[in-house]
Each structure stands twice: as structure tokens, then as C-alpha cells.
Amino acid sequence: MNFPDLSLTNSDNQWERFCQLLWFSDELGIWLDISRMNITASDFKALKNAYTEAFKSMKQLEQGSLANKDENRMVGHYWLRSPSLAPSDRLSNLIVDQIDQIEDFGKAILNGDIKTDEGNLFTDVIWIGIGGSGLGPMLIINSLKKDKIGLNFHFLDNIDPNGIKNKLDNIGKDIRNTLVVVVSKSGGTPEPKLCMEQSRKFIESQGHNWQSRAIAITMQDSNLDNLAKEEGWLKRFELPDWVGGRTSITSAVGLLPLSFIKTDIREFLKGANIMDKYTRLDDIYQNPAALLATSWFTAGKGKGLKDLVILPYSDSLEVFSRYLQQLIMESLGKKYNRSGILVNQGLAVYGNKGSTDQHAYVQQLRDGIDNFFATFIEVLSSENELPGINNQSPRDYLSGFLQGTRLALSESNRQNITITLKDFNALTLGALIALFERTVGLYAELIDINAYDQPGVEAGKKAAANILEIQNEIEELLSNKKEYRITEIISNLNIPLGESAFMIIRNIVFNNTDFQVNGNWNNPESLVIRKVN
Ligand code: PA5
């Protein structure tokens, strides 16, 4: 490995740095420029041994080691786009078969081989899933769906009753031609379960059949899988336990939406597969994920001290910042390292899109607190170009704004990275996702954390279940229609946190006229509650 003599970014050697550090793949039409990060040759050298170990671990991970030790699981999302790498023929065949099945199923839906009970074509789909089961599909639809091609998508990714009702009402009569895909790897997450039940009630209340339009994507033998089996749903796709939610976009979770919008799923997989080949290289300078991981590490001193701001100058990539936010923060935001030492690691990610954001938070990026580094994502050409009017072309302005902001940030010593895509399509989206997946994997190795579990999310699920249990107990206590002071409720039911009782009661009384409260909301201890009906 040769280390170029890189000194800190300055106007004297910036062109030289740019030429030395620029990474490009002709096959993908993707450039990566990290020359405006404050990285020196000694930063690369300092990480040399850590990288030797990181590449070794990534290799073992791809060979099927139990890389997610806390959950005793393999980490296999790389096999999804390169099935021959899977550690057994059974797994390779499972992946290949599923890709074929999804392709056939998508075609059958779109060409009418599979029709509604009334013999019509399906026109819409409700996609139910949260976190990794929702964001990938949302990214795919937002970025690749072309107007009037394929099914119309409606995402239910939350349990806000307003949101659910508005979305279902919006579908209205089209519900008769609507498929429902329920995605939950565990098959037990409350949010998709509630959304599924609400959708089902809505569909059945309009006189339509559920089973003949419902599709499940879940682990084998999960509650969701068993329900779909018992009831004979239209289709079930397996989500293997070795695919994590936030890295499931190249599994059925991302491929099914692609097939429903008539996009070539193999191009998407090919893009990811090509990028995987580059990101496996153990020469840091030739490996774009290692260049990115080194940038992240150096900027935040390996402790996430600087936030990552994602600035795609493209409407198609608007959801990408949210997608990366989950991929990176859920993977890297960990309390302990792999030896059990308290580290409170993480890397905060936010962003939306340019040039829109130049009229929002970019002001602070340029002139305010220097607690971030930016990643610009540029798309050079797109299917729809608009001719300039009065010599003013939107495309040139977009590029000018990106370049101007990039330079303006550097002038204020704000570090930044630029990723440029010649074209934006299924191939380059697949590649972009694979680039960040591997960057997260390598960075996690450098900081020695398990990027593949999510104890914080699990803890949140458990905490919510506890609250709902307390709510049931409160409602049961009040069912005898006697008056209770809030302090009595807290002590009778042994509620560990008074504020939980307060928040539950506040939620009940403002949503249910069966309950009445006297007292002063400003003085929680004065509240007296009674069930009246
Ligand atoms: O990335 C993850 O693992 C999470 O975001 C999950 O995808 C999310 O919690 C949903 O879980 P499930 O698919 O089991 O319903």
C-alpha cells in the first residue's frame, strides 16, 4: 500500500490532493472525492493495522461467521446480491429461488395473471412495515418509481390514527384493487401489527376479502408467517434471520417493490454486487468504503464527534438521508463495544436535499458551529432534462449550487465529501446502498462495535409494552366507576413512575369520553379520575 504525501487541505495542494484521492468506477459511473476532508497520510497509516483486522473480520462475516454475536446470527446481506458466496448450497438456492419468484410474482400482478377477486387488475398496494421494513421500500419508490408505471404505493409506517385513517380514506374505492404487503422480520412488532389490523378491518368493512390480497414478508414460523399460512394469504416471502432489517433492501423487502414498479431487480442487485467487489479490496485507496470509513473516523476521532450531513442534490434521493440515518445510527449507536466496555458510540446523521436545504440549515453549516462534515451526492444526468430558458438551465444551476456550497463550506474549513453519479437508476442506487452498508461494516470494525444488533430498539419495544400493561391496569381499576385520586392509583397499582400514570390518564381522558377528570392539570397531584360510562 503506497501512501501519498497528503497534508491538510489548503489551496496550494488541493488540486494534487483531488487527483490523488479521487476514486472512480467506469463500470458504475460513480466518483468519490474525499479530498476536502482533513485527512493526512499519517491518518491512513495510523489505521493500517486496524484495517488489516477489519478486512479479515469482514471476510469471515461474508464466509458465514456468527458476526452478530449478541444475537447469535450470521450477517448475510452481501450474499443476497452474490448468492454463490453464501456459506451453503441451501442458502444460495434459497436466494436464487426467491429472486426468481419475486420477478415472476411481480410480472403476474402487473400483467393480470393474478387478479383481484372481482377479476380486475391490482392498481395499488398498501405497504406496512416500520424501520428497516419500511424505509428501504420508501426509498425505492421515492427514487425509482415512474409516473403511471406499476402499482401506486401507500405506506403505513406509523400508528398515528390520523395518518392511518387519512391514508386508508385516500385510497377510498381503489381499495378493491389494492394489495397489502405486511413486512415484519420478527413478525411481532406492534406497529405493523396494528396497521395490518386497521387495514384489514377497513378492507373487510367494504366487503372485500383479505386473504386473496395479503402478502407477508417475515421469518419462517413467526406469528405473522403462521397467520399467513393458516389463513392462506396470497403469498409469503421468507426474510431469513441472517438479514437485518436495515440491511434488507436487497432481500424481498426491496425487490418486491421494485418488481411492482416494473424496475429490473437484477440491475439493482448487479449495482450492489459490483460495489461489493470494490469494497472487498484490502487496499484502502482502491476501496471506496474504506475511503469513506477513514473519513468518518478521522473527522470524528473515532468517537462520532462530528455529525454527518447528507446533501443529495436530487429530488430522487430525498428519502436517502432518512434511509442512511437509520442504517448508520441504528448500526453504530451502541453503548458497549464488543468487549463489553462502555463506549457510547455513534454517528449522528441528518439531511434532506439540495439545493432546497441551502435555504434552510446550510446557513449554520457554513457560518455556525463546526460540529459536522457534509456528504454531497451529485447526479449528472437524468431521464427528464429541461431545456434552459433565457440561458438558465435548471441542471446547470443545480450543479452550480452544489459546487458553490461545497467550496463555500471548504472556505470556512468545513470538511466535505462528494459522491457523483453519472446516472441515477436501479444499478447506481444498488451501488450507493452497498457502498454505505460496507462503510458502516468497516467503520464498526474500526471502533470495535457490533453493527448488527439493536438493543436500544428492543428496549424501546419492551418499555412501550410495560406502559400499555399499566394502562390496562388503570382502566381495570377505574372500571368499578369509583373516584380515584391519581396518588391512590399510583400507590394501589404500585406504578413505579408517577408521571407514567399522569401521561396515561391524560391520554385516556382526552380520547375517551367515558372518563372524567377533576382537579388542576397544572397540579398533577390534585387530579381525581372516574369512569362515567
Ligand atoms: O433494522 C432493524 O432491525 C429495525 O429497524 C427493524 O427493521 C424494525 O424494528 C422492524 O422490525 P420488524 O421487521 O421485526 O418488524
Side-chain angles (χ1 to χ4, degrees):
M1 208 185 291
N2 290 321
F3 292 96
D5 180 22
L6 303 166
S7 47
L8 288 177
T9 306
N10 65 47
S11 48
D12 295 337
N13 72 353
Q14 176 54 29
W15 172 236
E16 200 188 327
R17 277 177 68 82
F18 180 80
C19 296
Q20 276 179 339
L21 285 171
L22 188 67
W23 179 89
F24 173 62
S25 159
D26 204 9
E27 216 177 348
L28 292 168
I30 298 184
W31 289 261
L32 168 66
D33 162 34
I34 62 157
S35 67
R36 287 184 176 271
M37 296 298 288
N38 291 345
I39 297 182
T40 64
S42 53
D43 293 318
F44 281 108
K45 277 184 196 152
L47 288 173
K48 190 170 179 265
N49 292 340
Y51 266 115
T52 308
E53 289 308 308
F55 288 129
K56 215 192 283 170
S57 295
M58 290 302 282
K59 203 168 180 180
Q60 286 165 356
L61 175 148
E62 289 203 72
Q63 285 168 345
S65 69
L66 291 178
N68 182 355
K69 290 208 169 54
D70 304 290
E71 293 177 352
N72 205 27
R73 287 187 190 153
M74 299 188 290
V75 174
H77 50 276
Y78 299 108
W79 311 329
L80 297 168
R81 48 265 189 159
S82 192
S84 60
L85 289 185
S88 71
D89 287 349
R90 191 184 65 81
L91 292 188
S92 307
N93 294 338
L94 188 126
I95 298 166
V96 172
D97 281 358
Q98 197 176 65
I99 296 169
D100 290 343
Q101 267 193 49
I102 290 170
E103 208 168 38
D104 292 347
F105 185 73
K107 278 188 193 142
I109 292 287
L110 295 186
N111 68 20
D113 284 346
I114 299 176
K115 288 203 174 82
T116 68
D117 289 336
E118 290 153 3
N120 296 321
L121 280 175
F122 282 106
T123 56
D124 291 59
V125 55
I126 299 175
W127 192 279
I128 299 173
I130 198 163
S133 304
L135 277 164
M138 235 180 257
L139 169 65
I140 281 175
I141 298 309
N142 198 271
S143 59
L144 293 173
K145 175 154 173 38
K146 298 196 174 87
D147 204 22
K148 299 197 176 70
I149 297 191
L151 304 182
N152 303 313
F153 271 70
H154 310 270
F155 287 99
L156 289 186
D157 69 337
N158 200 5
I159 38 179
D160 177 351
N162 236 353
I164 299 178
K165 181 149 185 355
N166 283 341
K167 282 183 188 163
L168 293 175
D169 285 351
N170 253 341
I171 301 173
K173 289 209 160 26
D174 289 334
I175 201 73
R176 66 164 69 104
N177 305 326
T178 300
L179 286 167
V180 185
V181 182
V182 187
V183 192
S184 176
K185 179 181 164 183
S186 59
T189 309
E191 291 95 328
K193 186 165 178 283
L194 266 68
C195 287
M196 173 183 83
E197 283 160 359
Q198 292 292 333
S199 306
R200 182 171 189 155
K201 189 165 171 218
F202 181 78
I203 286 167
E204 291 179 342
S205 71
Q206 314 263 318
H208 304 297
N209 176 284
W210 168 261
Q211 283 88 335
S212 58
R213 70 188 64 234
I215 299 163
I217 303 181
T218 185
M219 279 202 298
Q220 250 184 3
D221 298 327
S222 72
N223 288 345
L224 175 60
D225 190 46
N226 291 336
L227 180 73
K229 256 189 285 192
E230 269 163 41
E231 295 189 341
W233 290 16
L234 175 61
K235 192 83 188 160
R236 288 183 295 124
F237 292 104
E238 183 184 346
L239 191 48
D241 80 329
W242 41 265
V243 176
R246 55 193 171 276
T247 50
S248 65
I249 196 167
T250 48
S251 74
V253 176
L255 301 187
L256 194 60
L258 282 168
S259 80
F260 283 165
I261 57 168
K262 234 183 181 161
T263 299
D264 189 347
I265 62 180
R266 294 186 195 264
E267 276 296 288
F268 180 66
L269 293 169
K270 183 175 159 195
N273 181 23
I274 295 173
M275 184 55 86
D276 287 341
K277 284 186 194 151
Y278 292 117
T279 59
R280 268 184 207 114
L281 297 175
D282 60 8
D283 180 338
I284 306 177
Y285 289 105
Q286 302 305 319
N287 179 331
L291 291 173
L292 273 184
T294 308
S295 304
W296 294 5
F297 189 94
T298 311
K301 300 188 174 17
K303 294 179 177 161
L305 299 181
K306 294 223 177 206
D307 302 346
L308 166 53
V309 183
I310 302 288
L311 282 167
Y313 274 56
S314 160
D315 286 354
S316 303
L317 283 166
E318 191 174 347
V319 176
F320 196 53
S321 324
R322 275 183 70 200
Y323 177 83
L324 286 185
Q325 190 172 58
Q326 190 213 6
L327 173 65
I328 297 172
M329 294 179 75
E330 203 168 271
S331 302
L332 301 180
K334 298 291 154 70
K335 190 168 180 181
Y336 301 107
N337 70 7
R338 285 182 296 196
S339 315
I341 295 167
L342 182 73
V343 287
N344 294 118
Q345 269 289 358
L347 177 57
V349 181
Y350 63 94
N352 178 21
K353 64 172 180 177
S355 68
T356 318
D357 287 348
Q358 285 184 227
H359 304 269
Y361 57 77
V362 171
Q363 163 63 31
Q364 175 172 322
L365 299 189
R366 182 157 191 251
D367 294 340
I369 180 169
D370 182 10
N371 62 351
F372 73 95
F373 60 103
T375 296
F376 292 95
I377 304 178
E378 182 182 22
V379 178
L380 295 182
S381 58
S382 62
E383 212 173 314
N384 298 312
E385 290 300 344
L386 293 170
I389 298 175
N390 296 330
N391 217 11
Q392 294 184 324
S393 127
R395 165 72 48 210
D396 293 347
Y397 266 66
L398 192 65
S399 173
F401 276 117
L402 181 150
Q403 292 188 49
T405 307
R406 177 176 170 274
L407 293 179
L409 289 185
S410 291
E411 268 162 26
S412 308
N413 284 322
R414 307 299 149 95
Q415 302 179 67
N416 57 82
I417 295 167
T418 305
I419 297 172
T420 303
L421 312 182
K422 192 155 112 356
D423 299 299
F424 182 71
N425 49 37
L427 181 103
T428 51
L429 180 63
L432 203 55
I433 287 162
L435 171 62
F436 279 94
E437 282 179 352
R438 184 82 64 163
T439 304
V440 166
L442 284 174
Y443 184 85
E445 291 297 334
L446 297 181
I447 61 171
D448 188 27
I449 53 126
N450 178 359
Y452 309 104
D453 64 352
Q454 51 286 320
V457 179
E458 309 304 336
K461 290 182 188 176
K462 225 171 168 183
N466 288 342
I467 294 290
L468 289 163
E469 211 167 286
I470 298 175
Q471 172 158 346
N472 284 341
E473 287 172 15
I474 294 178
E475 287 184 13
E476 206 182 307
L477 181 74
L478 293 171
S479 64
N480 62 12
K481 302 197 177 166
K482 275 204 225 148
E483 247 183 27
Y484 287 91
R485 296 187 75 85
I486 191 167
T487 42
E488 285 175 291
I489 295 179
I490 294 168
S491 64
N492 282 8
L493 297 178
N494 234 339
I495 299 174
L497 291 173
E499 70 207 64
S500 301
F502 177 82
M503 292 177 82
I504 290 169
I505 288 164
R506 190 172 54 185
N507 179 45
I508 299 177
V509 298
F510 285 110
N511 281 302
N512 190 338
T513 47
D514 286 353
F515 296 89
Q516 246 180 23
V517 171
N518 288 318
N520 182 354
W521 283 104
N522 217 3
N523 175 11
E525 292 202 322
S526 73
L527 298 176
V528 178
I529 303 100
R530 190 161 72 96
K531 188 164 188 215
V532 284
N533 291 316

